[in-house]
Amino acid sequence: MSREEEIIAIVSENKKIEVNELADQLEVSRVTVRKDLDKLEERGILHRQHGFAVLNSQDDINYRLAINYDLKRKIAKEAAKLVKDGETVMIESGSTCTLLAEELAYRKNDVTIITNSNFIASYIRKAEAVKVLLIGGEYQKDSQVNVGPLVKKVISEFHVDKLFVGIDGFDEKRGFTGSDVTRSDTANTLMHSANRTIVLTDSSKFLQVGVVSEFAFDKISMVYTDKRIEKEKIKFLEKQETQVITV
């Protein structure tokens, strides 16, 4: 675990912690921890308040992107191998999906990305070899994603081979799960405009149970995750005829 990830973990646990105490726990100087906090503040993960480090909303996409970043990067790189130059794909909101979009934008040629994520569109805005079609709708500020009936209306005009999605949890009875009703409903709508729906997630999500049922297992063709996933979960998914790729 990098020092930045340690800071995120400590502040996540405490919600608010004095900067000097944080330096003591990490056994680094105050100057060093302040530099680390500067970087995390620039990325929108936390902020400082009267000598304390305070966590931003856990729904904030910047926060979610920082958790298990290295694993998510590996998953995104592997999933990018599915996409050919010149292809049009759909990418739903999510931290690993963001890194996939970055990989396609800077490593592929003439890829078109259809997305309802304002964050993804902004994240890859400087890439010259990618075209982004941003689907409008009701704007959720923390996740920076568009949801609701307008998305449904627009997406019905499109059809692609692959849709890449993230998840918030896993339940053997209810399928892949989410934490937000409207966002889950929107993601499910996107699924109807694609031949294949592919889940990108780090293995920690298989230990969580989201509030809302999002995708039935028979609707997911592939799952990209990391090698920490339990073997029983892989066997279960393969029984559902879902291919599991680990990195």
Side-chain angles (χ1 to χ4, degrees):
M1 183 185 292
S2 69
R3 193 168 62 243
E4 285 186 9
E5 287 184 318
E6 282 188 75
I7 291 172
I8 293 166
I10 293 169
V11 180
S12 296
E13 184 178 350
N14 294 273
K15 307 303 179 190
K16 182 176 180 179
I17 186 170
E18 194 173 6
V19 173
N20 290 345
E21 183 182 342
L22 186 59
D24 289 341
Q25 285 195 34
L26 295 167
E27 297 181 345
V28 297
S29 70
R30 274 62 170 164
V31 173
T32 297
V33 82
R34 286 192 183 99
K35 286 180 179 178
D36 290 337
L37 290 173
D38 283 341
K39 293 176 184 176
L40 292 171
E41 196 164 17
E42 284 176 10
R43 290 162 61 187
I45 297 164
L46 50 74
H47 63 280
R48 273 177 288 180
Q49 189 179 79
H50 307 300
F52 286 83
V54 183
L55 190 69
N56 286 353
S57 169
Q58 292 189 23
D59 288 331
D60 191 297
I61 186 67
N62 289 293
Y63 171 87
R64 295 168 69 183
L65 188 61
I67 304 300
N68 294 323
Y69 177 86
D70 290 339
L71 280 178
K72 291 174 180 178
R73 167 68 68 189
K74 290 178 182 177
I75 293 165
K77 285 187 174 183
E78 189 64 26
K81 295 176 182 177
L82 277 180
V83 181
K84 300 175 182 177
D85 289 344
E87 189 173 352
T88 297
V89 297
M90 202 177 296
I91 303 180
E92 200 262 334
S93 64
S95 52
T96 311
C97 286
T98 298
L99 296 177
L100 170 66
E102 182 183 34
E103 191 68 19
L104 298 181
Y106 290 100
R107 299 285 184 271
K108 301 284 183 176
N109 292 314
D110 300 319
V111 169
T112 298
I113 295 173
I114 302 170
T115 185
N116 63 323
S117 170
N118 294 268
F119 185 83
I120 287 177
S122 176
Y123 200 78
I124 60 175
R125 67 189 183 278
K126 294 182 180 179
E128 296 180 359
V130 66
K131 182 178 181 180
V132 179
L133 299 180
L134 181 61
I135 304 166
E138 179 187 345
Y139 180 59
Q140 291 189 337
K141 294 179 181 178
D142 283 338
S143 59
Q144 299 184 46
V145 64
N146 297 328
V147 297
L150 280 176
V151 175
K152 290 186 177 184
K153 188 173 182 179
V154 174
I155 204 60
S156 64
E157 302 295 324
F158 295 95
H159 191 84
V160 298
D161 182 51
K162 304 176 189 74
L163 163 66
F164 295 93
V165 299
I167 58 166
D168 292 322
F170 171 87
D171 188 323
E172 290 190 3
K173 294 180 179 179
R174 295 187 298 135
F176 292 106
T177 59
S179 58
D180 181 278
V181 174
T182 309
R183 201 182 313 161
S184 295
D185 181 61
T186 301
N188 211 275
T189 298
L190 298 180
M191 182 178 66
H192 295 296
S193 292
N195 293 333
R196 294 189 286 167
T197 300
I198 300 154
V199 167
L200 308 185
T201 182
D202 66 272
S203 59
S204 68
K205 300 297 174 58
F206 287 95
L207 303 175
Q208 301 173 24
V209 179
V211 177
V212 186
S213 297
E214 189 165 17
F215 303 109
F217 293 120
D218 62 358
K219 301 296 183 183
I220 302 300
S221 62
M222 302 174 75
V223 172
Y224 280 81
T225 188
D226 61 82
K227 287 184 169 63
R228 295 178 187 175
I229 183 175
E230 296 173 355
K231 291 181 180 179
E232 291 74 16
K233 298 287 197 309
I234 296 177
K235 290 178 181 177
F236 176 85
L237 288 169
E238 288 176 341
K239 283 183 180 179
Q240 314 302 314
E241 298 185 353
T242 299
Q243 184 181 358
V244 181
I245 296 92
T246 59
V247 298

